[in-house]
Amino acid sequence: MKLSLITMQGVYNYGSALQTYASQKVLTDLGCEVEVVDYYPNRMRNYGSLKQLYTDAKPFHKSTWKCMIIAICKYPSMIKLKKVFVPFAEKYFHKTMVYNSNLELCQNPPIADVYCTGSDQVWNDYLEGTFDESYFLNFAPERAKKIAFSASFGRDDIRCEGIAPMRNLLERYSAISVREESGLKILSDIDVKKKKCVLDPTFLLSKKDWMSLAIPIEESDYILVYKLHEDSLTSEIALAIAQRTGKKVVRISSDYLKRIKNGKTIVAPKVEEFISYIANAFVVVTDSFHATAFSLNLNVPFVSVKWKMFNDRIETVLHKVGLERRSVSTIEDALKVYDEKINFQKTNQYLKKESADTMLFLKEALN
């Protein structure tokens, strides 16, 4: 059975790369011949170029010169990220030809028995200001089977009138699973049926699976900081825990300009090293969903820091394993939950059950 998987395969982000890897492996293990659609939407045009960095800065700065300076300063980081993520994708992803627009996809769609919308924020209209119909499989033939595997809206404030235009496309799916409980509500608001909340695909691989992919690192016994949002309290919380424990702080950063004071910054490690940095940590402090997910899966203590939006994706999985208190918004709360030991034997039991439910959904959806 040939399966065409469309997901966020092209962004320079550890979570996106690893969920694509996991999705492909899980579906392959279920007997599918998987092809990842090598699709680049509008916001990904010239990705990593000076032009793209300049365009990204425009909404936040009126000065043309300031935008140019920002682009020039960020460009070396993008070159480093490209050297990390492109080789990983080339090594592990089985990809189609390149598609640079929805029109190209519709005119010459990949041939498959099943078309699948993958995980990550594929149904988020925040990044482009509108929904991308490619991720709703508008290019797939009418009679072909269409499913969604742990798709995410990325946020919980999408209104009925905003998502309603996608209802006809969603009705073509024979099975839909989402990553967050809020996703179920969004779909219910427009009366879309055949839906279920499941785990992110990264949970469907075992600790042994992930460690077989990981590359060893020299660092050990440190507090790991992985933050996606510079205005979150992630660094401050990590340093507060460091002051209490005497442990060193290590930050993984995707930008040479974004470093942590009073700690060590690792800029753009390899994707395989990212796994090791989480596995070897004394504690992980993060505002990232996938860093939280890997901490759970690898049984590493963690503190998950709330940001001003996009928190439901983390809170849904923490609710599933009974660790809602690990999601914090103040330094004081972080220090309290840091002192609480995690019963990983219990969380592993929860995850085992949820993983079985997710696999059952996939098997039924494919059959």
Side-chain angles (χ1 to χ4, degrees):
M1 179 190 302
K2 190 168 183 180
L3 183 143
S4 181
L5 173 69
I6 187 166
T7 187
M8 298 289 188
Q9 91 300 336
V11 295
Y12 300 160
N13 175 279
Y14 294 99
S16 296
L18 291 168
Q19 68 82 18
T20 302
Y21 173 90
S23 297
Q24 179 180 270
K25 186 176 189 324
V26 168
L27 291 164
T28 299
D29 289 347
L30 286 174
C32 297
E33 180 188 344
V34 181
E35 258 193 343
V36 178
V37 180
D38 203 10
Y39 173 58
Y40 293 87
N42 290 334
R43 70 177 182 282
M44 296 287 291
R45 303 284 171 74
N46 302 306
Y47 190 58
S49 67
L50 282 169
K51 180 179 180 180
Q52 177 253 329
L53 293 169
Y54 173 83
T55 302
D56 285 353
K58 287 283 285 182
F60 305 99
H61 306 282
K62 294 182 179 179
S63 169
T64 298
W65 284 105
K66 190 169 186 178
C67 292
M68 290 175 64
I69 291 170
I70 289 172
I72 291 169
C73 290
K74 285 181 173 290
Y75 188 57
S77 300
M78 294 303 292
I79 293 175
K80 177 71 185 294
L81 288 169
K82 184 176 182 179
K83 291 179 179 178
V84 168
F85 287 98
V86 171
F88 181 83
E90 289 177 347
K91 182 176 181 179
Y92 292 108
F93 301 165
H94 304 293
K95 296 191 290 186
T96 65
M97 60 179 283
V98 175
Y99 292 96
N100 288 306
S101 69
N102 178 254
L103 180 62
E104 288 184 8
L105 264 173
C106 291
Q107 289 178 337
N108 185 26
I111 304 301
D113 302 299
V114 180
Y115 293 82
C116 177
T117 299
S119 185
D120 225 348
Q121 297 182 50
V122 286
W123 290 343
N124 194 341
D125 64 340
Y126 177 78
L127 297 172
E128 292 208 44
T130 185
F131 292 107
D132 187 335
E133 293 189 0
S134 298
Y135 295 107
F136 292 84
L137 302 180
N138 75 325
F139 61 90
E142 187 66 36
R143 291 182 174 273
K145 179 174 285 190
K146 306 166 191 68
I147 66 173
F149 176 22
S150 193
S152 173
F153 289 96
R155 57 198 186 97
D156 57 9
D157 60 346
I158 294 175
R159 298 191 176 187
C160 182
E161 58 269 23
I163 187 63
M166 298 297 108
R167 186 179 184 280
N168 288 339
L169 290 174
L170 289 165
E171 281 292 317
R172 303 199 314 159
Y173 286 70
S174 59
I176 295 175
S177 62
V178 292
R179 199 174 65 182
E180 295 94 13
E181 293 289 344
S182 60
L184 292 179
K185 183 180 184 306
I186 291 168
L187 293 173
S188 293
D189 287 344
I190 56 172
D191 198 31
V192 171
K193 300 176 176 61
K194 301 175 185 175
K195 58 189 182 293
K196 182 179 179 65
C197 186
V198 301
L199 288 178
D200 184 84
T202 55
F203 284 108
L204 302 184
L205 301 191
S206 67
K207 180 178 181 179
K208 182 179 179 181
D209 290 329
W210 286 120
M211 294 314 296
S212 67
L213 177 66
I215 295 175
I217 58 172
E218 295 181 359
E219 300 283 350
S220 62
D221 200 31
Y222 50 85
I223 297 168
L224 179 67
V225 172
Y226 182 59
K227 62 188 296 187
L228 301 178
H229 314 289
E230 286 303 304
D231 56 347
S232 77
L233 285 173
T234 308
S235 295
E236 290 83 351
I237 288 171
L239 292 170
I241 295 174
Q243 189 173 19
R244 175 175 290 188
T245 62
K247 302 289 184 182
K248 61 185 177 182
V249 177
V250 173
R251 176 182 178 180
I252 292 178
S253 176
S254 59
D255 191 332
Y256 285 113
L257 303 177
K258 296 176 181 178
R259 297 177 173 269
I260 190 166
K261 295 179 180 178
N262 303 316
K264 180 178 181 179
T265 301
I266 310 293
V267 179
K270 292 181 178 180
V271 178
E272 298 92 336
E273 290 175 328
F274 177 83
I275 302 167
S276 294
Y277 275 106
I278 292 179
N280 290 5
F282 172 72
V283 63
V284 174
V285 184
T286 186
D287 57 9
S288 156
F289 168 80
H290 279 107
T292 300
F294 273 93
S295 299
L296 276 170
N297 211 359
L298 302 179
N299 290 183
V300 178
F302 67 93
V303 176
S304 192
V305 184
K306 293 180 181 179
W307 191 50
K308 58 190 176 185
M309 60 176 66
F310 305 154
N311 294 307
D312 190 55
R313 52 189 174 163
I314 295 174
E315 291 172 357
T316 292
V317 71
L318 293 184
H319 176 72
K320 286 180 183 290
V321 297
L323 292 177
E324 299 94 325
R325 282 175 52 80
R326 308 300 294 192
S327 178
V328 303
S329 54
T330 67
I331 295 174
E332 292 75 18
D333 286 345
L335 291 173
K336 288 177 185 176
V337 300
Y338 159 75
D339 288 331
E340 299 173 4
K341 289 188 177 180
I342 299 174
N343 184 345
F344 279 113
Q345 184 176 1
K346 187 177 180 180
T347 61
N348 290 341
Q349 290 174 349
Y350 283 129
L351 289 174
K352 184 177 181 180
K353 179 183 180 300
E354 292 288 339
S355 294
D357 287 346
T358 301
M359 291 300 294
L360 180 61
F361 164 83
L362 275 176
K363 291 174 183 177
E364 291 179 345
L366 292 171
N367 291 329

